[in-house]
Amino acid sequence: MPPSKQTRYVDVSNPSLTVECPRCGLVTARFVDMCRNCAYKLWPSGVMASAAFKAWRAVDPEHRSEVSRFDLDYPVHIDNTVDYEARAHQLGIHMSPSSNWPFVICFGLLFLSLAAIPFSATARIVLAVIGLLIFLWGIVGWVVIEDTRMFPSDSTETEVHH
Ligand SMILES: [Zn+2]
């Protein structure tokens, strides 16, 4: 029998990918010719099952095109992007706000590491002092100023020092 005749027996309006097996009653893939559980022949042949699946899929290609006839469910698209800041806030984790201060700290550390190079003693002291000042400026700016601004409720501890 030509497949075009067989597609008539498919209820294409039914979006289900599964069917209850008439013999064992368990849910099985609708467009596979045999029941997965008891091998009951749901379709006279695999070709017919495939033709029925293609006809069924053609009715609603937008939703059904990604489906395999061996699937029992539609593919689920999960949005894996996580807003870590929102998540941390939700979990009550104190995350330091993203800012430019870490770059200042790194800049200070760069000078400090330059001071480790055996230049003359004066040059090393100057580099160390500059590095330390930039480093501390970065720490103070990052931890005290920005953190206090972003998290006013946590600021009691830092305000004691003033
Ligand atoms: Zn069965």
Side-chain angles (χ1 to χ4, degrees):
M1 269 184 269
S4 57
K5 261 189 164 180
Q6 287 302 317
T7 56
R8 256 190 292 166
Y9 301 110
V10 185
D11 178 10
V12 289
S13 62
N14 182 355
S16 177
L17 272 167
T18 56
V19 69
E20 268 182 33
C21 170
R23 192 209 270 175
C24 67
L26 293 173
V27 170
T28 186
R30 191 174 162 204
F31 298 105
V32 178
D33 55 328
M34 281 195 280
C35 169
R36 279 186 190 176
N37 309 297
C38 68
Y40 176 81
K41 268 196 137 350
L42 295 167
W43 296 91
S45 71
V47 178
M48 276 181 197
S50 177
F53 174 69
K54 280 173 188 159
W56 172 82
R57 194 169 58 174
V59 171
D60 189 0
E62 192 192 327
H63 295 106
R64 298 176 184 177
S65 61
E66 286 178 58
V67 172
S68 149
R69 71 189 179 102
F70 301 99
D71 287 341
L72 296 178
D73 277 304
Y74 287 82
V76 180
H77 295 283
I78 298 163
D79 187 6
N80 275 323
T81 50
V82 176
D83 187 341
Y84 285 104
E85 273 188 46
R87 183 114 183 91
H89 195 75
Q90 195 187 334
L91 294 170
I93 300 168
H94 183 114
M95 269 173 85
S96 293
S98 55
S99 70
N100 291 322
W101 289 110
F103 295 105
V104 176
I105 294 167
C106 288
F107 195 61
L109 286 174
L110 173 74
F111 273 90
L112 281 173
S113 61
L114 284 175
I117 300 166
F119 293 124
S120 68
T122 326
R124 291 180 69 177
I125 290 164
V126 169
L127 282 170
V129 168
I130 293 170
L132 206 64
L133 282 174
I134 297 171
F135 179 73
L136 289 174
W137 175 49
I139 293 285
V140 167
W142 193 23
V143 177
V144 181
I145 300 170
E146 198 146 323
D147 228 29
T148 310
R149 200 180 65 212
M150 294 291 286
F151 299 94
S153 56
D154 300 346
S155 64
T156 43
E157 200 191 5
T158 48
E159 268 167 13
V160 170
H161 302 295
H162 293 290

